[in-house]
Amino acid sequence: MTETTPITLALEGTGPRLCAPGLPHCFADDGARFGFGHDDGVLLVGATKAEWFPLADVVALDAGPWGWVAMTEDPDTGDAAAWQLCPGGAELRAAMPDGVRGLRLEGGALIERRGSRSCVARLVPDACRVDLPLGAVRGRVSVAGDAIAWADGPDLYRRGPDGIVRAVGQAPGPVTRLRCAPTGALVATVGDERSLIVPPTGRPRVIEDSGDAVLGGNGFLLQVGPDVRSVPWTADAEGRWFRNRELCGSPRAVFSPLESRIEDLSGQPMVDGVVPCAAAASATAVLGPAGRTWPLDGSAPSPADPALMAEHILAHEAHVTAVLDGHYRVRPPGDGFGPSRTLPAPFHDPDLLEAIRPARGGFVLVGGRERVFVSWAGEIRRGVLPRSRRAPAPPSGWHWNDAGLLLRLS
């Protein structure tokens, strides 16, 4: 069963192209491509091209040794499904009417919790199911390739491709998180203080940091507060810190929120424009994604403008209105953005603002029960308001979402 045909996008040129990947809610990496999981689809970005798989309600993404798998969940029914992302489209691998509670996608498999037990259902390349012993519960089970690892209290076990279970070692306390690699390496976290490192070869050792980990061939990356620490498998090799960086599901790269990009471990940018921004269309351009203006004719975008990195943006009557963190700025025709102004009550609380809509002479702020008109000059009006209308839909041949994704499809 194929849900949709993927759209191939060039990274350069004037044809169908990726303009900004936006900030997804899940990442993955297969060593050649980065995967970005959005509510409305999956974007796979390689060195020379990208592919967009339209899939509704993506909640998880995984790059296993046999390909890419995404998991979706219907927000109304709770029904979940696992899809393999193939050249011909997204193919259904498993349907789960009970939803994603107790499920995790990892290593091309679904890890499912059943009471005090877990089982692993291989999705690709062939379906197989492995029931794990009592004590192997969610959060302490990990899959990588043909290997399955789990923790029972402080005790670590691994089931190899031959189906034989072997004891791996013992952590200095009950394991709270576990990750394994196809090489057989393990990282087991104890509480929020220490991690036990089980390298592919050599003796295990304990380090005094903990956090989520991404494992690779030469070592692993560990999230420690706001920073990422690179830890080699061999104790005598030198690691390093990446300050103000975050894990992005890749052992070869980190996410830099300040620069809005994914960088390799030498600090060179690999994917730019990884930032959540609203989008709006004027007569000639798409405004907002990556803080830029993207001409509809496909020509080069403008440099990034911090004023366009907004939660809500509206192009109307030759004005551009951008809203961020309870404040707004207006760019009149032929001029730059004016000063930042506080939104009128109650919208100085950003959580209450649902949308901004065009109205004659200004715009209307829309909340659950509130409507407030703001004129271009800053006049505030309540009660009887100018009639508003919904912002126009994306122009034909373009696609964007609330996470800052922008694709030029034609």
Side-chain angles (χ1 to χ4, degrees), residues 2-19:
T2 298
E3 171 75 3
T4 182
T5 301
I7 299 169
T8 300
L9 303 148
L11 298 184
E12 297 178 351
T14 59
R17 102 172 162 238
L18 163 68
C19 295

Side-chain angles (χ1 to χ4, degrees), residues 55 320 340:
L55 274 176
V320 177
S340 176

